[in-house]
Amino acid sequence: MASTELLPRGSLQPRPRAPQSGPLAARYELLMELVRRDVRSRYRGSFLGVAWTLLNPLIFMIVYAVIFGRFLKVHYPGGAPIVFILSGLLAWTFFSQALTMATNSVVANAALVRKVAFPWMLLSVSAVVAALVNFVISLLLLIPFMLLAHKGIGLPMLALPLLIGVCFAFSLGLGLMLGAGNVYLRDLQYLVNLATLVWFYVTPVIYPLSLIESKFSHGLIGQVAHLVIYANPMTWVVEGFQDVFVFDRWPQHWHGLGYSLLVSLVSIWIGMLIFNRLRRRFAEEV
Amino acid sequence: MAELALEVREVSKRFRIYHQRSTSLKEALVERRRGRYEEFWAVRDISVDVPPGHSLGIIGENGSGKSTLLKCMAGILVQDKGTIVSRGRLASLLEVGAGFHPDFSGRENIYLNGAILGLPRRYINAVLDEIVGFAELEQFIDNPVKTYSSGMYTRLGFSIAVHLDPEILLIDEVLAVGDEAFQRRCMARIRELRSEGRTLVFVTHSLESVRAICDRCLWMDRSRCRMLGEVDAVLAGYRAELRAREEAELAMTEAAVVDSSPGRDGFRITSLGIIGPEGPTSILNTGDQVTISVGYSSPAPLSGAKFAITLLSEGGAPLATVRTADLETADLSLPQEGTVRLVLPGLPLLEGLYRLTVEVADIASGERYKRLDGVQPFRVHSEGRRESGMALLGHSWEFPRVTEATAGR
């Protein structure tokens, strides 16, 4: 009667001691395990699975290309409007998805946070890394459209890791703040949805930066819009992507990119400070 | 002296109890959330040392702060005052299977849960079969855990936890959920850890397991340390307190008040009492010598009265009745007032709440002088006994022997 066997088999055998990883290695392993979970759980149980990662930006790209390219006759430099829109859109999708996922990362794991002590920060980090994995997969979408537009792959592609790195760092910094803050203030998740929606329009994804420079450099509203777009770290990341994919050239706005990098690193620093400060009451507030 | 494994110094932990659970932006901005909660000290000024290889039991009633203290030790909560220093790899087991992902298979969850508890992946690779075997889930390991029964779920969680290799282990009583077999496994594993010389801190309601496992015991009472020291002394103090509280509770019940109004012919029952080995009480242990005393008064001396006392179960079912009428010298002549005592040399009742029914009647006419029904509630404890049910049976077993004639078959 195996089913009613009460005592565990082999419970008294000497058990091998579990090898211990150093704290850094252990954190890395845990992070990878959490990323695996976050990436998989996103598609588990959905019929189209990974295809959603591609379908989502594809649909939006078509909508934007039709409305802005055809109806509103926006002139996209570089002769490949679809590649132009798509390259910025993918970067933007990564950013907004990372923020949304990171904002919920701690709250969504409430059961775990209440019962197990581990570096909870990894929950938010893992959310951003999972978004990064989705982003890298979604980059495949560019290939057919670049081929159609006769765009080649050149040396400037080497700038991609830097561009992705800046985008990742910025998402991570904001993600840490939002993930920790959302434990105390659940409205943050709705606020983030709204904010990314607005933020999207002050990032030159569906219009070229040159359009702003030529048409909106006068008047108060123009000046403000100018300032906001220039101060937006995502502007320079998106510009960089368009440079690489549309123009096959190295990013042109090195100053802007340097500024974005600086803002990103500062945001990580502040994010970690905030997270470490707020985590003290996570287990009781979550 | 060797360095302490765990050093807890004047630790206090405060919780905020919100009048209205509101974590919305509107309230934060408009109504100013500050000041809208009350503070509650769940742990106050606790200091305790645990040397390496020792084990500490933490006992106390629900809400006394034991689990909060344990969570502070684990680093899940951060104390508001005091310091906690731990030396050595520390693992806490407050819940088995915490963080299982319902959509993931058992196998995937082993890796995930293992990583959260700090087991390296390559180590899990090596012991995966052992974990699966221990949980007895070979056939189901690739099914999502949401399809598991709660028993399977706990078994899997525990099998993973068994492979932890901490120097200091903090365990909460929630481990004591699950069936008896599961609890036995937990206890076996805890004993094993203990014999391997690891440091243990153990929160529990089971006083027996504290006695079996711990060197020292901390008794928490309303957030504070009530007693800290040798297990036997603390347990004795704790038991005495529980008993006193129970007694006080029983004394508060309506049935505990003796109805001394006159019955037929002015006969009254003036008092009713239970006397245990240590004097009057309402808390008894199985096997105790127990005396039930019935005080009465009557306008005239009684001739030919009969007394009957019935033990009732909590539900009111009569368990046993004893009568003076059954005595060979049934012709009782009693003074106007006095006390009749019934002595039970060994109380044959098991764990539970019981009551008494007392009846006094005239032996010749059978007419009742007075009857008290379902009164004098008392509680019986039978800690450490294996029998179940209500009555204790004196018994012995006999078995067939293996002989040459039967062994070969």
Side-chain angles (χ1 to χ4, degrees), chain A residues 205-221:
Chain A
V205 173
I206 47 173
Y207 54 85
L209 189 61
S210 53
L211 187 78
I212 299 299
E213 281 166 345
S214 61
K215 289 197 178 168
F216 295 103
S217 50
H218 305 293
L220 185 64
I221 293 176

Side-chain angles (χ1 to χ4, degrees), chain A residues 2-3 5-13 15-21 26 29-30 33-34 36-38 40-41 44 111-118 120 183-187 191 279-286, chain B residues 13-16 18 21 23-26 28 33 71 74 76-80 89 94-95 98-99 101 103-104 108 111-112 115-117 119-123 130 133-134 136 138 162-163 165 181 184-185 189 192 198:
Chain A
S3 60
E5 189 181 70
L6 293 184
L7 285 173
R9 280 172 262 155
S11 66
L12 295 176
Q13 287 167 4
R15 194 166 287 106
R17 292 224 138 192
Q20 301 296 322
S21 308
E29 286 207 4
L30 175 53
E33 222 40 75
L34 290 172
R36 232 186 293 260
R37 178 192 68 165
D38 285 350
R40 277 189 205 164
S41 66
R44 190 63 56 103
L112 203 50
V113 172
R114 272 196 286 260
K115 293 290 181 184
V116 191
F118 66 97
W120 296 323
V183 173
Y184 296 84
L185 215 58
R186 300 293 157 87
D187 284 34
L191 204 64
R279 65 178 284 272
R280 294 168 63 89
R281 285 191 183 270
F282 272 5
E284 35 194 305
E285 300 276 352
V286 75
Chain B
K13 174 68 193 171
R14 176 181 57 200
F15 283 127
R16 294 169 181 177
Y18 295 97
R21 182 71 198 168
T23 41
S24 74
L25 189 66
K26 186 189 115 220
R33 203 162 55 126
K71 281 185 176 177
I76 295 171
L77 296 173
V78 181
Q79 67 273 14
D80 292 291
R89 282 193 316 280
L94 305 191
E95 191 175 283
H101 195 298
D103 288 334
F104 284 10
E108 287 167 319
Y111 284 103
L112 179 62
I116 288 167
L117 295 173
L119 292 174
R121 192 177 176 86
R122 66 198 140 80
Y123 174 68
E130 206 184 312
F134 194 83
E136 294 165 13
E138 288 90 344
V162 154
H163 288 81
D165 183 30
R184 263 215 292 281
R185 282 190 200 191
R189 176 59 184 153
E192 210 174 272
R198 297 173 205 240

Side-chain angles (χ1 to χ4, degrees), chain B residues 138-177:
Chain B
E138 288 90 344
Q139 302 156 47
F140 309 102
I141 200 59
D142 289 311
N143 297 357
V145 297
K146 67 180 171 195
T147 65
Y148 285 17
S149 70
S150 62
M152 290 157 79
Y153 194 91
T154 3
R155 286 211 303 274
L156 184 61
F158 184 66
S159 304
I160 301 168
V162 154
H163 288 81
L164 287 175
D165 183 30
E167 282 155 1
I168 306 169
L169 184 61
L170 313 176
I171 310 172
D172 200 352
E173 63 196 332
V174 278
L175 265 187
V177 298

